[in-house]
Amino acid sequence: MEKTNDSIIKKAQTAITKSKDSIVNVIDANGNGEIDIEDFIIIGLKTPGIKVDRNDFLKKELFKNYPQDTIDDAIAYNPAHAKIPSNEIDRIADEVIKYERNCVSGISAALGVPGGFAMAATVPADIAQYYGYMLRAAQKLMYLYGFPQIDTEERNQKFDSETMNTLIICLGVMYGVQGANTALKAMATALGKGVEKKLLKTALTKGTIYPIVKSVSKWFGVNMTKQVFAGFFKKAIPVVGGVIGGGITYLSFKPCCDKLRSTLQDTLLSNPNYHATEEEKNMEKAIITFSLQ
């Protein structure tokens, strides 16, 4: 009897290990053997309809209420430069968040459906949808509050490191990760003062902002691994809801978007009278100094 129980336990452990490995394999989009935020961004950006063209988006949102010259100004510079009232931008942002949250509600019903080990194959689709909507909302909010086009084009099955790191910072702000808020505001200050994009790219990929990117990535890596496997394997019943469980749920979507919007509402790109904190000023100076070395 004891041998039989041991055999059953070993078989169960083997099945769980195989299922765990299969989850890592399907989620590990960047091929580094781990589950991290880059995987979710890559999966999300590869989902049809997630990439947002800044020009088309601003045209669509502004054409009902503004003349063409105002729209052209908003596209050439940003909505604040085009003198579009902040309360109007906030109203559009509210609609964006509401729309994307409703999209997430479409997958919420599927997130708790048990389906045995075979459900592992559906995990990427659900994660792609959830993070896809999160990334789409982030792009739209950044464009409303003054940021330039984010290059989301895939080249040789890879996304530009600047794009990746910008979106990591955005997601960091959405989840309240330490340092992300200051980094995003410093980026806005630099852009608002005319710092060239190539200098900002240097800061994002190997300069001043890069350590914050790594810190945010580490935070996500630890938390995502826990969320994926703690809920998923705790009861040894793979459930899609366990993968996207924990803090990553339909209910958390709006608060995450609200955090990003709150940060974007008061930067040099969205508010010409904005006064940066000393920490942001120091980071902005460091961006320029490091990039010119």
Side-chain angles (χ1 to χ4, degrees), residues 200-246:
L200 192 58
K201 180 173 183 175
T202 302
L204 274 164
T205 55
K206 58 183 179 181
T208 312
I209 300 176
Y210 185 65
I212 298 176
V213 172
K214 298 302 288 183
S215 177
V216 172
S217 296
K218 183 178 180 180
W219 183 92
F220 272 108
V222 171
N223 284 274
M224 285 177 162
T225 300
K226 287 180 180 177
Q227 288 163 350
V228 168
F229 294 123
F232 201 89
F233 293 101
K234 197 171 193 179
K235 300 177 182 178
I237 302 176
V239 180
V240 177
V243 176
I244 311 185

Side-chain angles (χ1 to χ4, degrees), residues 13 19 29 31 77-78 97 103-105 134 142 144 163 224 237 239 263 274-275:
Q13 290 174 336
S19 185
Y77 297 97
N78 58 56
I97 294 172
C103 289
V104 171
S105 71
M134 186 76 79
M142 290 184 78
L144 282 172
T163 298
M224 285 177 162
I237 302 176
V239 180
T263 295
Y274 176 72
H275 295 289

